[in-house]
Amino acid sequence: MDNFSLSPLDKASGSGFQSKNEYLFGKIDMQLKLIPGNSAGTVTAYYLSSQGSTHDEIDFEFLGNLSGDHYILHTNVFSQGKGNREKQFYLWFDPTADFHTYSILWNPQRIIEFKNAESLGVAYPKNQPMRIYSSLWKADDWATRGGLVKIDWNEAPFTASYRNFNANVCVTSSSSCTSSISNSWLNEELDSTSQERLKWVQKNYMIYNYCSDSKRFSQ
């Protein structure tokens, strides 16, 4: 995929794209350069989703912020229409200065970092093929400081840039995976080095984890 941008987000419109095909499992890489400057109230989303009231979905949402503040990465996983699996992280680098690679790894055992726990009665997205989507939209009712900071339309139009899309995928089932590439991702999990890196991010930059939110989830 050549370089391209989602633009503009202004008072009149947002923007987005979707893949032509649906996929059931895959490792998907995309390089993004996010909105620079005062991006408060904007959301740049990059996600997989099926359709319908019992849809599955895997989300990356980048929540804009005031100039000089950290971007927030907001993740969520939906299965059979149920989400409420949000995690949030401050990005520890400047995602507006250059392109960075963001990857979704989804196989029958896990979505990094969400394990298949069907044996415990937790639904897992494995039966509904999903398309790849991205969008740039106004979300100043919640995105920045819980909606306290609104979009400054004097900064518009807002632009996010994309390049180097790569997808190693299964089209409709795990038996229909792309044959010309290695399918090692079908059983991939984090190695010890990656686990340590993830722990470092969780310790230093995680600001919300649904697993520890006892007010929302008393159990």
Side-chain angles (χ1 to χ4, degrees):
M1 177 182 287
D2 296 330
N3 295 8
F4 69 98
S5 299
L6 281 185
S7 177
L9 169 62
D10 55 28
K11 285 187 176 182
S13 64
S15 57
F17 66 85
Q18 71 177 51
S19 63
K20 293 181 180 179
N21 295 324
E22 295 180 323
Y23 308 113
L24 187 64
F25 307 126
K27 185 174 184 180
I28 298 160
D29 304 319
M30 180 81 81
Q31 290 192 330
L32 280 75
K33 184 162 67 173
L34 300 179
I35 301 166
N38 180 2
S39 58
T42 68
V43 170
T44 304
Y46 161 47
Y47 60 102
L48 300 174
S49 184
S50 59
Q51 299 297 310
S53 59
T54 58
H55 75 290
D56 294 342
E57 187 170 327
I58 304 169
D59 288 341
F60 273 150
E61 293 182 319
F62 300 92
L63 312 185
N65 223 325
L66 295 169
S67 298
D69 289 350
H70 288 286
Y71 255 89
I72 292 174
L73 170 61
H74 177 100
T75 66
N76 202 352
V77 175
F78 286 75
S79 184
Q80 299 176 22
K82 183 179 180 181
N84 295 329
R85 299 176 176 123
E86 299 95 340
K87 295 183 180 181
Q88 291 187 341
F89 305 83
Y90 283 132
L91 293 183
W92 56 98
F93 52 88
D94 183 355
T96 72
D98 202 353
F99 287 90
H100 294 269
T101 302
Y102 302 91
S103 301
I104 295 174
L105 174 60
W106 170 37
N107 64 33
Q109 294 79 37
R110 63 188 55 80
I111 300 161
I112 302 296
E113 56 175 304
F114 178 77
K115 291 184 179 179
N116 184 337
E118 289 179 295
S119 62
L120 301 177
V122 179
Y124 184 81
K126 66 174 187 178
N127 296 316
Q128 299 185 55
M130 295 192 269
R131 282 189 169 88
I132 302 167
Y133 296 86
S134 191
S135 58
L136 177 55
W137 50 289
K138 172 183 177 292
D140 63 2
D141 57 331
W142 68 276
T144 306
R145 299 182 185 175
L148 295 177
V149 182
K150 304 301 183 182
I151 288 181
D152 181 358
W153 290 112
N154 292 320
E155 301 288 331
F158 301 99
T159 301
S161 300
Y162 298 74
R163 72 180 186 189
N164 292 346
F165 169 74
N166 184 61
N168 295 336
V169 295
C170 309
V171 178
T172 56
S173 70
S174 58
S175 63
S176 65
C177 299
T178 309
S179 58
S180 60
I181 49 84
S182 169
N183 292 329
S184 60
W185 58 267
L186 266 172
N187 296 296
E188 186 173 338
E189 57 186 319
L190 294 180
D191 59 22
S192 58
T193 300
S194 297
Q195 289 179 26
E196 288 302 314
R197 288 173 177 169
L198 179 59
K199 289 178 182 177
W200 177 82
V201 171
Q202 291 171 332
K203 178 181 178 181
N204 293 286
Y205 294 100
M206 178 180 277
I207 57 174
Y208 179 80
N209 184 355
Y210 76 100
C211 293
S212 56
D213 190 339
S214 58
K215 291 183 179 180
R216 289 180 65 195
F217 308 105
S218 59
Q219 69 274 26

